[in-house]
Amino acid sequence: MRSGFVSLIGRPNVGKSTLLNTLINEKVAITSKVAGTTRNIIQGIYNEPDYQIVFMDTPGIIRPINKLGKITNKQALSLVKDIDCLLFVVDASAGLGKGDKFIMDVLKKTDSPVILVLNKIDKISDEDILYNINEYKDLYPFAEIVPISALTKDNTSRLIEVIKKYLKDDVKYFPEGMKTSNSKYFMISEIVREKLFDVTLEEIPHSLTCHTSFYEEKKDIINIHVDIIVDRDTIKKIIIGKKGERLKEVGTRSRVELENMLGKKVYLELFVKTIKNWKDKERYIKELGFLDF
Ligand code: GDP
Ligand code: MG
């Protein structure tokens, strides 16, 4: 038996959540075309008869622009310590940027082996893959460099094999069959949040949060309420849409996925609420569970 903890680190939008989903083979982390939509540390657990890998998805390391930003930054930094190995995920199709250099400076504070994961290789040529490898390899003493595509699953099983070399423990941390340690309520609100981003696309900034406020399981149906919290009435209007059409679409899409996940009919009610400057109000942040790490 070999086991260990592995953190995914990288700029927003490079594909960390997608990779986590691919490796765990179930939807555990929100993925979105809008940068910075993962705020919480999401653990996904990979199981094989003789292996257990506990993955942690870090929120993208971003410059602290408000309290929430600062918290996620601290959170991200704390994740480079005491870890069996780190996956530094980069977008190979975007090339080396300032943000990557900033993260590599952070990584210098850790003794843990760092695997460079060159993601999105489905978008570039083999020549460009080599170019990327050369560009990164002199900047940091990476333990390994693995080019992959989280989207097409190209080379992701090889990544698992590489990670196995760095697992140090010989205990099973979580019972088998458990794929994520996140609570059901959290998963529910994440699904609604994802559908919101899908439906509204780039129209809304990512200053919103979702919170499951009610959950009642009956014989044939589950009643669920989710609050969508934004900081401005203008955003609230956008989310609701003309005659409530947008919110209805978000509700329909969410319900379909929730019914799949929960295996029962779902009656879902969504409430959009404005809380001015919620990002700067730690009280709310606490209430919403962002500080439970
Ligand atoms: P995160 O912010 O690092 O967690 O990034 P996400 O996992 O949310 O992904 C950001 C965007 O990149 C999404 O639109 C994904 O579908 C896309 N993406 C992720 N991995 C790949 C990949 O391997 N290839 C391509 N073409 N797109 C990807
Ligand atoms: Mg993410």
Side-chain angles (χ1 to χ4, degrees), residues 8-22 29-38 57-60 89 91 93 118-124 148-154 156 194:
L8 284 81
I9 201 159
R11 284 155 64 188
N13 234 19
V14 295
K16 297 179 295 298
S17 302
T18 308
L19 176 60
L20 188 56
N21 285 332
T22 296
I30 184 175
T31 58
S32 172
K33 291 189 179 71
V34 183
T37 51
T38 311
D57 182 16
T58 63
V89 186
D91 181 346
S93 69
L118 288 173
N119 191 31
K120 307 197 187 182
I121 58 165
D122 56 291
K123 286 169 85 177
I124 61 172
I148 63 147
S149 167
L151 204 64
T152 66
K153 302 184 175 31
D154 190 14
T156 49
E194 180 174 57

